Amino acid sequence: MRSDLTEFSDPILLINFKTYLESTGKRAIELSKKAEVVGRDQGVKVAVAPQFCDLEQVSTSVDIPVYAQHVDAVAPGAYTGHVLAESVKAAGADGTLINHSERQLLLRDIDKSVERARSAELMTVVCAGTSKLAAAVSLSEPDMVAIEPPELIGSGHAVSKANPEIVKDSVRRIRAVNPKVRILCGAGISTGDDVYAALKLGSQGVLVASGVVKAAKPEEIIADFCKAVRRFG
Ligand code: G3P
């Protein structure tokens, strides 16, 4: 049984594989297995978001939650080239990212994508680049909202240190309209200290990519992140 990410007590580490070659094809499986082993050894919830073509292979290779990187706001039918929520579910995904800053949607389509994902029994992580948008998308009642200022994404400058205000402001604005949703933050997170700082700001986990995927030894970075989660306690 895959670990359930709805219990908000434990922080989570969600690793977005984006379209990096280091996390494509066979390497997506290898990185997912490394994440699973480290997470299990450290007792920390870890999940991965591979590319669509790698979803099935990854989800049959590991027992940790697997997320798609996007689903479209479409129902089954004549939508050539779109990504149907039911198809990523059938490929073994447990959830999906929605409105990542590198795959943005109109507000009305964010709401529809959350609905579509929910009806396909997928967990939803809606990304937002500002605290105002983070509050707005939390009204769609996703399972999680991830605040990620685009200017820090891929920078190596952690949002939890370079712009802690945006995390605090997002937590405040989101909680004012949605007391239930899990709040993640991401962008530039690359050390355990960055993760610890993020948790201290009130986030209940982090969304990371290059700091892990581009690392020479990703398993060591994931272990460092897990130690920070355990230190936070
Ligand atoms: O979805 C995670 C992402 O946008 C953060 O990217 O490379 O700064 O960890 P990165």
Side-chain angles (χ1 to χ4, degrees), residues 157-179:
H157 302 296
V159 59
S160 51
K161 295 194 180 147
N163 189 355
E165 269 320 304
I166 198 172
V167 180
K168 283 196 271 186
D169 194 34
S170 299
V171 171
R172 184 179 58 76
R173 288 175 184 272
I174 293 170
R175 286 290 170 248
V177 294
N178 185 332

Side-chain angles (χ1 to χ4, degrees), residues 16 18 20 100 102 148 152-155 187-189 207-211:
N16 180 1
K18 300 194 175 183
Y20 291 120
H100 189 277
E102 291 146 10
E148 294 202 317
L152 291 174
I153 290 178
S155 69
I189 291 183
L207 184 50
V208 297
S210 55

Side-chain angles (χ1 to χ4, degrees), residues 10-215:
D10 317 325
I12 65 166
L13 307 175
L14 179 46
I15 307 168
N16 180 1
F17 289 6
K18 300 194 175 183
T19 57
Y20 291 120
L21 279 180
E22 292 88 341
S23 52
T24 295
K26 283 200 175 38
R27 291 193 270 182
I29 300 169
E30 289 158 12
L31 181 54
S32 301
K33 285 185 173 170
K34 286 177 181 167
E36 178 179 41
V37 169
V38 175
R40 194 179 46 224
D41 291 354
Q42 298 271 344
V44 172
K45 288 200 168 94
V46 178
V48 294
Q51 296 167 65
F52 299 121
C53 300
D54 299 326
L55 270 176
E56 188 148 11
Q57 289 185 84
V58 168
S59 63
T60 51
S61 306
V62 293
D63 202 24
I64 55 176
V66 177
Y67 283 64
Q69 294 177 11
H70 166 76
V71 292
D72 283 303
V74 298
Y79 295 97
T80 303
H82 287 70
V83 180
L84 184 68
E86 285 82 357
S87 80
V88 299
K89 180 72 179 178
D94 302 283
T96 184
L97 304 181
I98 291 170
N99 194 50
H100 189 277
S101 75
E102 291 146 10
R103 192 61 179 84
Q104 290 185 41
L105 296 171
L106 299 172
L107 198 55
R108 66 165 187 265
D109 289 335
I110 294 172
D111 193 51
K112 194 130 182 265
S113 292
V114 170
E115 261 175 45
R116 293 270 41 262
R118 195 178 294 132
S119 67
E121 294 177 1
L122 291 168
M123 298 277 289
T124 49
V125 181
V126 178
C127 303
T130 67
S131 55
K132 277 190 184 153
L133 182 61
V137 299
S138 66
L139 292 169
S140 295
E141 298 185 347
D143 298 291
M144 305 178 225
V145 171
I147 177 68
E148 294 202 317
E151 65 279 7
L152 291 174
I153 290 178
S155 69
H157 302 296
V159 59
S160 51
K161 295 194 180 147
N163 189 355
E165 269 320 304
I166 198 172
V167 180
K168 283 196 271 186
D169 194 34
S170 299
V171 171
R172 184 179 58 76
R173 288 175 184 272
I174 293 170
R175 286 290 170 248
V177 294
N178 185 332
K180 276 197 323 170
V181 68
R182 181 191 281 263
I183 301 172
L184 309 182
C185 70
I189 291 183
S190 42
T191 70
D193 266 2
D194 298 339
V195 173
Y196 190 83
L199 300 177
K200 280 191 77 181
L201 292 166
S203 75
Q204 294 149 308
V206 294
L207 184 50
V208 297
S210 55
V212 170
V213 174
K214 305 286 279 180

